[in-house]
Amino acid sequence: MQVPIDPSGSLIRHPHRYPSPDDIVWEDAEPFEARLILADVRNAQGYGKYVIWQEAHGIRRFPMDTEHAFAVVKNMLIDHGAIITDTDPEWTFTKAHARGGDAYGIKLVRKRFLDQEDGDADLEENEE
């Protein structure tokens, strides 16, 4: 999948409504790590709301559907809108079908419990 990025590096939620379509850069949707701060809540076209996350030390912005935002609130420690972790959380891109065209966003990559363990070396030693 490819995602629409504006000249500042921000994800475009609705490329079909973007005022300068020639400025859109379509990039591969690779997972990325970033420290993000909850910046805004917006009305979705015709239904519900979505949130905007912004880089803590940058200008890039990323929209997120509320269903994915609930997962962040439920699973992460947040202080003053910023996610508090020892390392930068990992995010991935999403695509939904919206009225008039596709809607792009991000979601938190949640690791399974066993994937969070750094004990791979210990497992190898125990297998011998």
Side-chain angles (χ1 to χ4, degrees):
M1 171 172 84
Q2 291 197 316
V3 294
I5 305 295
D6 73 9
S8 70
S10 297
L11 179 64
I12 300 170
R13 179 161 175 86
H14 297 289
H16 58 280
R17 293 190 312 190
Y18 194 70
S20 304
D22 293 338
D23 291 341
I24 296 174
V25 175
W26 290 88
E27 296 183 359
D28 290 333
E30 298 292 330
F32 64 100
E33 292 183 357
R35 188 165 305 267
L36 303 178
I37 297 172
L38 188 58
D40 199 2
V41 176
R42 302 248 173 102
N43 288 322
Q45 183 178 350
Y47 63 95
K49 296 190 180 290
Y50 65 95
V51 300
I52 301 288
W53 293 91
Q54 182 171 337
E55 284 181 311
H57 302 287
I59 61 170
R60 296 187 308 166
R61 296 168 65 95
F62 303 92
M64 175 185 280
D65 292 329
T66 53
E67 66 186 84
H68 295 121
F70 291 139
V72 173
V73 170
K74 181 180 174 185
N75 295 296
M76 302 297 288
L77 180 61
I78 299 175
D79 184 20
H80 293 86
I83 295 173
I84 308 300
T85 60
D86 291 338
T87 62
D88 291 343
E90 187 175 0
W91 308 91
T92 189
F93 294 97
T94 64
K95 177 180 169 182
H97 300 291
R99 187 182 311 173
D102 294 327
Y104 294 84
I106 62 168
K107 68 179 181 178
L108 180 66
V109 174
R110 292 188 347 198
K111 297 185 183 328
R112 296 179 312 141
F113 179 74
L114 293 175
D115 292 340
Q116 296 177 26
E117 297 293 319
D118 288 335
D120 291 341
D122 295 336
L123 289 175
E124 290 173 7
E125 290 175 10
N126 291 336
E127 289 177 358
E128 292 177 0

